[in-house]
Amino acid sequence: MAPTRPTPPADIAQYILDGLDRQDPEALRQIADHAEDLADWQEAQAAAEMDEEDVVREDSEGDDDRPGDVPAKASVVVKEINNNRYYYYQWRSGDQVKSKYKAPVDSDE
């Protein structure tokens, strides 16, 4: 009896699946190892970014301007980009850190 081909996760882009189908077993194992290392690195980068940001408020529950797709427990953080400071909502979703733009920081603050 031949082994059953594994079903890929629905959220992987078809062009990635097509590329994987063209690889031999050894290359697939190397790709899997690299993907694990890359995922670990991205998680560490996200955690380091969160540690470096100024948390303005621990949750955004009382924020009347908070968009509906931002959880009430999202923190409001200040990010500096190109010497400009901006408020962002930031929260964890599983293993990911998600952010959504809020507003520029007033230059008087």
Side-chain angles (χ1 to χ4, degrees):
M1 178 177 201
T4 304
R5 181 181 177 89
T7 302
D11 55 347
I12 294 180
Q14 188 61 48
Y15 73 92
I16 293 173
L17 296 173
D18 293 342
L20 291 173
D21 282 341
R22 291 190 297 270
Q23 306 304 312
D24 63 36
E26 180 58 29
L28 287 171
R29 287 184 178 85
Q30 290 175 356
I31 291 167
D33 289 343
H34 175 68
E36 284 291 326
D37 292 343
L38 185 59
D40 291 344
W41 177 80
Q42 285 183 348
E43 287 173 348
Q45 287 290 108
E49 285 178 18
M50 281 189 72
D51 290 343
E52 293 174 4
E53 293 163 350
D54 298 330
V55 176
V56 178
R57 243 183 10 253
E58 287 298 322
D59 67 57
S60 60
E61 193 167 3
D63 190 344
D64 295 335
D65 296 332
R66 181 176 48 83
D69 61 342
V70 174
K73 292 293 181 182
S75 296
V76 178
V77 299
V78 175
K79 292 185 180 190
E80 187 165 326
I81 303 170
N82 296 329
N83 296 322
N84 295 305
R85 293 167 44 97
Y86 303 95
Y87 290 116
Y88 278 83
Y89 297 103
Q90 195 167 65
W91 66 97
R92 284 201 172 274
S93 178
D95 291 336
Q96 294 182 325
V97 175
K98 298 200 174 194
S99 296
K100 184 161 188 165
Y101 174 77
K102 176 177 169 57
V105 174
D106 188 357
S107 60
D108 297 337
E109 295 180 32

